[in-house]
Amino acid sequence: MAEATIVLDPGHGGIDSGTIGLHGAMEKTYTLPTALAVAQLLRSKHSRVILTRQSDQSVSLSKRPKIANMNKATLFISFHFNSAGKKNTAQGFEVFQYHQNARKLAQKLNNNFVNLPLVNRGIAFGDFEVLRDNQRPAVLIEMGFMDSTHDFKHIKSKIYQRLVARDVVRGITQYVH
């Protein structure tokens, strides 16, 4: 793990709140602590971790994959929380990939999401700029629905964020070895 360069992308930030969930909760509020929890665990394993943002700041979509490409990252993970657009019509987490070079990473992450109290929606194709413009193995993970009463009670919990972080780090460890 020490030789790995891992770029973590806490989705949204600054003027971009991301999805607005139950009770006006903003997605950006939960992507950052989740990514920071992953970063802390990875650094304890002596990995080189680069965050696209470390506070509530705006970072353009185009800059996020450039950070991974310029640093020749081993992998890139973008953290998000989903919205169905209508309360309680969808739930669960999902791993998205665009390029074939991310397939193994997506599988390792998805296979390690075993401790999460949400439905596993599997792996899907995601035509997102942070994936499409990324030359490095890159995935975007949607770790629950902000407009699902069931999912949101977990999303806002530090315990859930730590579970996600542990599972992500276990998946990354398997991927890089």
Side-chain angles (χ1 to χ4, degrees), residues 7-128:
V7 175
L8 302 178
D9 175 38
H12 308 288
I15 59 169
D16 177 6
S17 65
T19 244
I20 303 295
L22 301 177
H23 316 296
M26 293 182 280
E27 179 180 4
K28 70 177 185 174
T29 305
Y30 303 99
T31 59
L32 184 59
T34 303
L36 289 172
V38 173
Q40 181 180 19
L41 287 173
L42 288 170
R43 286 181 176 135
S44 75
K45 294 179 178 286
H46 309 290
S47 292
R48 178 175 179 232
V49 178
I50 300 169
L51 288 145
T52 59
R53 69 182 181 93
Q54 297 186 55
S55 63
D56 186 17
Q57 65 192 74
S58 297
V59 179
S60 72
L61 281 177
S62 64
K63 185 175 181 185
R64 294 168 191 250
K66 282 180 185 168
I67 292 169
N69 294 334
M70 287 183 335
N71 287 284
K72 296 187 176 8
T74 307
L75 61 95
F76 171 99
I77 300 174
S78 189
F79 293 85
H80 290 268
F81 293 96
N82 218 334
S83 170
K86 190 172 179 196
K87 187 177 178 183
N88 294 324
T89 56
Q91 58 181 229
F93 59 86
E94 196 163 9
V95 180
F96 289 93
Q97 61 150 116
Y98 182 84
H99 296 290
Q100 276 305 114
N101 71 354
R103 186 76 185 155
K104 181 181 171 193
L105 174 59
Q107 289 170 333
K108 293 293 183 191
L109 289 170
N110 192 64
N111 291 346
N112 277 283
F113 287 137
V114 293
N115 298 308
L116 304 183
L118 305 186
V119 174
N120 185 338
R121 298 169 63 95
I123 300 169
F125 175 78
D127 189 4
F128 305 114

